[in-house]
């Protein structure tokens, strides 16, 4: 289905990104300007920067950029809620004003030029378009190996996750409305979006170096993120613990029979090494099992409390009409609607 000049919103979650924000808005504003000139998106298209409780000048800079760029809008969250919650908050806020949304990180490592390809796939009828890395040659051996292992583990656990895709994607408002129906508190968008089941497309790009600043995902956060994703969408780890318990139990029975037979035959020899290894092994399995079960219990605890995923402290909205208003207007009027003036954003 061909879509005439959709309003495109670009959602950018930000955490301590003051060093790169100026570069980011220049790049994204240029992309939207080019798409508008081609007639691929509406002049009402916008950029929404979501401040996730930054401790630097990210929010004041967003407010200043809004005064200088007519396409810029902002959302300030009341505290740091994490990348996934901040991104979801931005998507749910921006979908009121847009026909489709692109989510992208502020560091400019995702090639903004493929946004055009995403829009073309959307206009062809795709409700979801994934940005997928074409290669990982720029990564270190450690990062490349762990990342590939992560995707293989996730797929091995039965999760419908797109290989080498992070959170660079386009989603239609229809897809976003369905995503809003997901009521869980433990959010892992890379695994949740494929569950929607709408028609999807893929665009490939080469990941670039970070434009400025430092990565907000050190090894510790990456491990935590991977664990969050696995335990949020799959119960297979619990079943693996159960299978391991049965396996250890079976081994203990065999070793018990062996000990009894050896004793009856007078060949029993006290083995300190084998005993201590067995104790450490069983103890390790027990601690691992308890920790994994605790992880799931913790998630149940969070789900039961139903606390909000984010709280909006302040919104600097884009100068566009709401989606509901556009649905009730005359189609001919929409086609001829002029671009919002620069002063309307202040």
């Amino acid at each position: 289905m061909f879509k005439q000049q959709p309003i495109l919103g670009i959602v950018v979650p930000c955490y301590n990104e003051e060093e790169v924000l100026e570069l980011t808005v220049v790049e994204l504003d240029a992309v939207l300007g080019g798409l508008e000139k081609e007639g691929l998106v509406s002049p009402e298209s916008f950029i929404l920067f979501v401040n996730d409780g930054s401790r630097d000048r990210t929010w004041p800079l967003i407010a200043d950029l809004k005064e200088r760029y007519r396409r810029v809008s902002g959302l300030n969250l009341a505290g740091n809620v994490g990348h996934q919650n901040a991104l979801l908050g931005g998507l749910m806020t921006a979908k009121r004003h847009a026909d489709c949304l692109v989510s992208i990180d502020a560091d400019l490592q995702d090639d903004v030029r493929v946004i055009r390809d995403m829009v073309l796939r959307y206009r062809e009828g795709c409700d979801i378009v994934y940005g997928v890395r074409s290669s990982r040659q720029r990564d270190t051996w450690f990062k490349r190996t762990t990342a590939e292992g992560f995707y293989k583990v996730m797929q091995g656990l039965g999760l419908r996750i797109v290989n080498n895709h992070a959170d660079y994607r386009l989603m239609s408002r229809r897809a976003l409305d369905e995503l809003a129906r997901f009521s869980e508190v433990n959010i892992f968008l890379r695994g949740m979006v494929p569950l929607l089941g709408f028609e999807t497309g893929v665009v490939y790009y080469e990941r670039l170096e970070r434009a400025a600043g430092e990565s907000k995902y050190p090894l510790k956060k990456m491990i935590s993120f991977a664990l969050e994703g696995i335990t949020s969408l799959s119960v297979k780890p619990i079943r693996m613990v159960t299978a391991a318990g049965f396996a250890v139990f079976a081994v203990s029975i065999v070793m018990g029979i062996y000990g009894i037979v050896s004793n009856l035959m007078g060949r029993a020899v006290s083995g300190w090494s084998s005993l201590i290894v067995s104790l450490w092994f069983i103890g390790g399995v027990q601690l691992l099992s308890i920790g994994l079960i605790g992880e799931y219990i913790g998630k149940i605890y969070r789900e039961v409390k139903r606390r909000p995923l984010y709280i909006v402290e302040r919104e600097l909205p884009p100068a566009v009409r709401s989606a509901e208003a556009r649905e009730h207007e005359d189609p001919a009027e929409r086609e001829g609607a002029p671009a919002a003036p620069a002063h309307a954003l202040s």
Side-chain angles (χ1 to χ4, degrees):
M1 180 176 62
F2 187 80
K3 303 178 185 294
Q4 293 287 343
Q5 287 195 326
I7 294 179
L8 171 65
I10 302 178
V11 178
V12 188
C14 305
Y15 178 67
N16 295 341
E17 298 288 4
E18 65 174 353
E19 296 181 37
V20 75
L21 217 50
E22 286 275 4
L23 298 174
T24 302
V25 73
V26 170
E27 291 281 347
L28 294 179
D29 189 67
V31 168
L32 285 182
L35 293 175
E36 288 176 17
K37 288 181 180 179
E38 291 187 71
L40 296 177
V41 300
S42 166
E44 294 182 278
S45 299
F46 61 93
I47 308 164
L48 175 64
F49 290 102
V50 183
N51 179 43
D52 183 22
S54 298
R55 294 173 293 180
D56 61 4
R57 295 189 64 260
T58 294
W59 177 246
L61 184 55
I62 291 173
D64 177 64
L65 291 171
K66 184 184 186 303
E67 297 296 325
R68 293 189 281 132
Y69 292 85
R70 72 173 181 85
R71 299 186 182 94
V72 170
S73 58
L75 187 70
N76 189 35
L77 302 183
N80 178 247
V81 296
H83 179 273
Q84 295 290 281
N85 290 346
L87 176 55
L88 183 67
L91 293 173
M92 294 300 105
T93 300
K95 78 181 182 70
R96 304 196 310 262
H97 310 292
D99 297 306
C100 56
L101 296 176
V102 169
S103 57
I104 185 172
D105 289 337
D107 55 19
L108 294 178
Q109 288 189 278
D110 298 318
D111 191 349
V112 299
R113 292 173 296 181
V114 300
I115 291 177
R116 182 181 184 276
D117 298 327
M118 290 182 176
V119 172
L120 290 175
R121 297 303 306 273
Y122 167 77
R123 287 163 62 94
E124 292 169 2
C126 292
D127 282 286
I128 302 170
V129 184
Y130 298 107
V132 176
R133 296 181 60 172
S134 56
S135 70
R136 287 187 170 271
Q137 297 303 318
R138 295 175 181 268
D139 291 346
T140 63
W141 176 88
F142 177 78
K143 187 173 183 179
R144 182 169 60 251
T145 303
T146 53
E148 292 174 351
F150 167 73
Y151 287 108
K152 288 179 181 178
V153 168
M154 295 290 279
Q155 292 168 348
L157 293 174
L159 303 182
R160 295 170 57 184
I161 190 168
V162 179
N163 197 31
N164 285 326
H165 164 71
D167 287 300
Y168 188 24
R169 69 179 74 87
L170 178 147
M171 297 182 69
S172 69
R173 184 151 56 89
R174 180 172 72 150
L176 289 161
D177 286 340
E178 294 303 317
L179 180 64
R181 296 176 58 194
F182 284 53
S183 59
E184 60 255 45
V185 173
N186 301 284
I187 301 298
F188 185 70
L189 292 174
R190 299 183 196 183
M192 292 168 60
V193 172
L195 297 176
L196 297 175
F198 290 117
E199 183 174 352
T200 63
V202 174
V203 296
Y204 294 94
Y205 68 97
E206 187 74 27
R207 192 163 169 85
L208 309 173
E209 296 293 337
R210 184 179 176 88
E214 298 179 354
S215 172
K216 305 305 184 294
Y217 265 89
L219 180 60
K220 182 180 178 181
K221 280 194 174 182
M222 290 175 62
I223 294 174
S224 176
F225 183 70
L227 183 61
E228 179 76 19
I230 291 171
T231 55
S232 293
L233 295 166
S234 176
V235 295
K236 281 192 175 182
I238 286 287
R239 294 175 181 171
M240 292 169 62
V241 167
T242 303
F246 277 113
V248 172
F249 178 69
V251 171
S252 65
I253 291 177
V254 172
M255 295 304 296
I257 294 173
Y258 172 78
I260 293 172
V261 172
S262 297
N263 186 55
L264 292 175
M265 297 180 66
R267 296 186 302 182
V269 178
S270 58
W272 181 86
S273 298
S274 58
L275 177 63
I276 208 69
V277 168
S278 299
L279 288 174
W280 277 101
F281 175 73
I282 295 173
V285 170
Q286 288 177 334
L287 289 174
L288 177 63
S289 303
I290 293 171
L292 186 57
I293 293 171
E295 183 73 22
Y296 278 95
I297 292 175
K299 291 187 180 298
I300 295 172
Y301 176 66
R302 292 179 59 193
E303 293 287 347
V304 169
K305 289 192 295 184
R306 309 303 303 164
R307 289 179 177 173
L309 298 176
Y310 56 89
I311 297 174
V312 176
E313 191 271 334
R314 186 183 178 191
E315 180 182 358
L316 304 175
V320 298
R321 292 154 292 166
S322 67
E324 292 79 7
R326 294 197 310 275
E327 287 175 353
H328 292 90
E329 70 183 6
D330 189 286
E333 180 183 347
R334 180 190 298 188
E335 288 299 320
H343 62 77
L345 289 173
S346 57

